[in-house]
Amino acid sequence: MEKRREQMKNFNFNIEQAKEINKKINAVLEFKIIKGNENGKFYSTPFLVKDNIQVLGTKNTCGSKILENYNSTYTATAVQKLLDAGFTVVGKTNLDEFAMGGSNENSAFGPVKNPWDLERIPGGSSGGSAAAVAAKIVPFALGSDTGGSVRQPASFCGIVGFKPTYGAISRYGLSAFASSLDQIGVLASNVENAAITTEIMSGKDENDATSLNINWDLTSNLNKKLNNLKVAIPKEVFELDGVDKDILSKFKETIQILKNNGVEIDEINIPHLKYTVSIYYIIAPSEASSNLSRYDGMRYGLRTENDALKKTYMQTRDKGFGLEVKRRIFMGAFTLSSAYYDAYFAKAAKIRNLLNQDFTKAFEEYDAILTPTSPILPPKIGELKSPLQYYLMDLFTIPANMIGAPAISIPAGKINELPFGIHLISKPLNDANLLRIAKQFEDIFGTLELPEVL
C-alpha cells in the first residue's frame, strides 16, 4: 500500500503534455491549478474534477450552454477534503450535459473521444474523467454517478470506477441531477487509488443532510485475501435482450477464471432486475425536472431577454439546454403530473422497493453480485441513433444507485482490442469488503495498458 501511495504522490503531471493529449480526446474543458495543503501527505498529487462539481477558482459549466460562463462560488466538500490532504486540482473534465447521458456525446462543448480508439465513445456521463485517467493525464479523477456514470465509462476506458454507498461522500457542491440517486465517485488507474481517495473524501458533512456519519478504513486490509468468497450472478444476465454475444462469451471466460482461483460462484434469480431501466427512466427524469427548474435565466447562468417573463423563461431554457436534457425534463414533468403520478412515478417507487428486497435477500448469502459492467462494447461516435439504445447501456449499473449500494467496475481483459469491464455490487456500507474483493480480482486479471493511440 505504501508503494502505491508513493507512486500516486510522485505522479509526474506535465501540463503542456496534458494539453497536447487533450487536443486529441477533448476530455478536459479547463486546465486550472488549485493547489492543496502544502503540509498534506499527498502534496502536489494531481487530479481532475468533473465539471458539475464546484471548485472555487474554476468554471462549473455542467457541460451546458446555460452555464457556459458560470464560475464556481465555493468548493465542494469532497474536493476540499482532497485539497486538505495535499492533492492539487489541475482542471475540470467534460461530461454529458448535466450528467445526462452514457456516451459523452451530449456535451455542449463537443464529444469526448475514447483513448483506446479515437472514433469511439468513452462512455458517460463522466467520460471526460475516464478518458483523462486512461490517457494517464492524472492518476485519478472525480465523477458523479446517478445510474452508472462513473462505472460505465471506466469499463469503456479500461480503468477502475468506484461508486460508494449512497451518502458516504457528501454531495455538497455537486450539481443535482436526481438527488436520491446521485453520488460522487472515483475513476482511477487501479483499485488502491480508488480506495485511498474515497477514504479521504468520506464522512459526515453538515452541509449535506444525506451524508453518513462514518469514519472508514478502506485501505488497511485492502491487500488481505478474502477466504470462502461467495459471488452470485443474476440468471437474467444470460436471458435479457441486448447483451452482446462477445460480452457474454468473455464474461463466461471470466467466470471460469475466477472459479479456478477459488471463488465460489452461483447463478441466482433477481426477479425485478429486468425492470431497472424502466423505473430509472421514470424516477431520474422526475427528480431532474424538479432540480433543473432553477435554471430559468433569473438568478444565474444564461439569460435570453424578452419583454414577457414567461417568454424569458422559455427562450432561455430552449437556447440553454440541449436535446437530451430537454427530453428528460419533458419525461419527468409528464410522470410527475397529477394525471399520471400514480400510473408511473408511484409504481416505479414500489418496484424500486421490490428490487431492494431482491438484493437484500441475495446479500444474506453472497458477498457480491457479479455482472459485466456494460452489455455492449463502446460504439463509435454517432453510431447509436435511438435514445433507448443508450439507456440500455446502464442495464447492469443502475441497480446499485436504486438501492444505495457500493459498486465497482474493474478491467478484466479485452475484446477485439477494446477494454472489457466486470461489475461488482455489495450491500450498503460494505464498501471496505467490496474494495478488497475488487483488489483480489484485479490481482487475478491485472490492469490494462493503453496502446500507443495518443
Side-chain angles (χ1 to χ4, degrees):
M1 180 63 70
E2 287 304 319
K3 181 180 178 182
R4 186 71 76 188
R5 288 179 194 267
E6 289 303 314
Q7 287 176 346
M8 187 159 63
K9 283 166 63 177
N10 296 327
F11 187 94
N12 182 29
F13 175 72
N14 183 316
I15 192 166
E16 295 306 320
Q17 185 180 46
K19 288 179 178 179
E20 286 303 308
I21 293 172
N22 194 55
K23 287 178 183 177
K24 299 177 182 178
I25 60 176
N26 195 34
V28 183
L29 292 177
E30 175 187 19
F31 283 100
K32 195 72 176 284
I33 307 298
I34 309 290
K35 290 187 177 182
N37 175 17
E38 63 180 14
N39 296 315
K41 188 184 294 185
F42 294 94
Y43 180 62
S44 79
T45 301
F47 73 105
L48 287 159
V49 180
K50 187 176 180 180
D51 203 27
N52 63 341
I53 301 173
Q54 300 251 6
V55 181
L56 190 64
T58 71
K59 288 185 178 181
N60 195 59
T61 69
C62 292
S64 177
K65 285 187 179 296
I66 209 163
L67 291 176
E68 185 173 6
N69 296 308
Y70 177 76
N71 294 311
S72 300
T73 55
Y74 62 98
T75 296
T77 299
V79 176
Q80 189 59 56
K81 286 186 174 184
L82 291 172
L83 291 172
D84 290 345
F87 291 97
T88 295
V89 174
V90 295
K92 303 293 287 294
T93 58
N94 205 347
L95 68 152
D96 284 300
E97 185 181 6
F98 283 100
M100 297 182 191
S103 67
N104 238 143
E105 295 170 288
N106 297 322
S107 170
F109 309 109
V112 177
K113 298 176 182 179
N114 192 321
W116 285 80
D117 181 342
L118 298 178
E119 293 184 353
R120 295 181 184 273
I121 66 169
S125 62
S126 305
S129 291
V133 173
K136 298 183 178 173
I137 292 176
V138 287
F140 76 96
L142 299 189
S144 65
D145 192 311
T146 308
S149 289
V150 161
R151 293 158 285 146
Q152 186 245 41
S155 176
F156 281 1
C157 291
I159 60 170
V160 171
F162 179 54
K163 181 202 83 71
T165 294
Y166 180 79
I169 297 175
S170 170
R171 290 182 295 115
Y172 181 68
L174 169 65
S175 300
F177 165 9
S179 302
S180 75
L181 303 168
D182 295 343
Q183 183 60 73
I184 290 175
V186 182
L187 298 111
S189 52
N190 54 66
V191 173
E192 290 185 50
N193 286 356
I196 291 166
T197 51
T198 301
E199 182 178 291
I200 292 169
M201 289 188 288
S202 63
K204 185 67 178 173
D205 177 17
E206 63 181 16
N207 293 310
D208 177 6
T210 64
S211 63
L212 301 175
N213 188 18
I214 50 177
N215 184 21
W216 270 344
D217 177 358
L218 301 179
T219 54
S220 293
N221 296 315
L222 190 62
N223 290 299
K224 291 183 180 178
K225 189 174 180 180
L226 284 157
N227 296 317
N228 304 316
L229 184 57
K230 292 184 69 176
V231 172
I233 297 171
K235 290 180 179 178
E236 291 76 12
V237 171
F238 306 104
E239 299 169 355
L240 293 169
D241 294 333
V243 183
D244 187 278
K245 60 180 177 54
D246 290 335
I247 294 284
L248 283 179
S249 177
K250 184 68 174 178
F251 187 56
K252 288 174 182 176
E253 280 181 33
T254 302
I255 294 168
Q256 192 56 54
I257 292 169
L258 291 172
K259 286 181 176 179
N260 293 343
N261 280 271
V263 180
E264 184 180 338
I265 299 179
D266 297 325
E267 289 185 24
I268 64 169
N269 284 314
I270 298 186
H272 297 91
L273 183 65
K274 60 187 175 183
Y275 301 118
T276 53
V277 173
S278 300
I279 62 173
Y280 177 85
Y281 281 99
I282 292 173
I283 293 171
S286 297
E287 295 187 20
S289 70
S290 176
N291 279 325
L292 269 65
S293 64
R294 70 194 69 177
Y295 303 107
D296 55 10
M298 295 294 110
R299 286 158 284 195
Y300 45 75
L302 179 72
R303 178 185 177 97
T304 301
E305 294 287 352
N306 194 283
D307 293 338
L309 181 62
K310 186 177 180 180
K311 285 187 177 180
T312 299
Y313 288 157
M314 293 175 66
Q315 290 177 8
T316 296
R317 290 166 70 83
D318 182 48
K319 184 178 179 182
F321 289 143
L323 178 61
E324 184 59 32
V325 172
K326 290 176 184 175
R327 181 183 289 120
R328 298 200 193 193
I329 289 173
F330 279 127
M331 289 165 60
F334 173 79
T335 54
L336 287 178
S337 63
S338 58
Y340 295 101
Y341 181 89
D342 289 333
Y344 291 97
F345 190 85
K347 285 184 179 178
K350 290 176 182 177
I351 297 172
R352 181 180 186 177
N353 185 48
L354 293 173
L355 183 70
N356 193 8
Q357 292 176 27
D358 289 347
F359 276 88
T360 299
K361 183 179 178 181
F363 292 139
E364 289 174 359
E365 185 175 354
Y366 296 97
D367 297 293
I369 307 296
L370 174 67
T371 65
T373 307
S374 172
I376 62 171
L377 291 169
K380 291 187 175 181
I381 295 170
E383 182 179 356
L384 299 186
K385 304 300 182 185
S386 164
L388 183 59
Q389 290 176 298
Y390 284 107
Y391 297 167
L392 290 172
M393 288 196 298
D394 292 333
L395 175 64
F396 299 129
T397 55
I398 286 172
N401 300 81
M402 286 289 172
I403 66 174
I408 192 166
S409 175
I410 64 169
K414 293 183 285 187
I415 301 172
N416 300 327
E417 296 306 310
L418 293 171
F420 165 71
I422 55 174
H423 185 258
L424 290 157
I425 304 176
S426 191
K427 65 183 178 182
L429 298 175
N430 200 39
D431 299 53
N433 262 10
L434 178 63
L435 287 162
R436 284 179 69 188
I437 296 168
K439 180 64 172 67
Q440 198 164 316
F441 287 11
E442 183 182 68
D443 289 342
I444 294 169
F445 296 108
T447 54
L448 293 180
E449 282 297 318
L450 185 72
E452 295 297 325
V453 176
L454 301 177

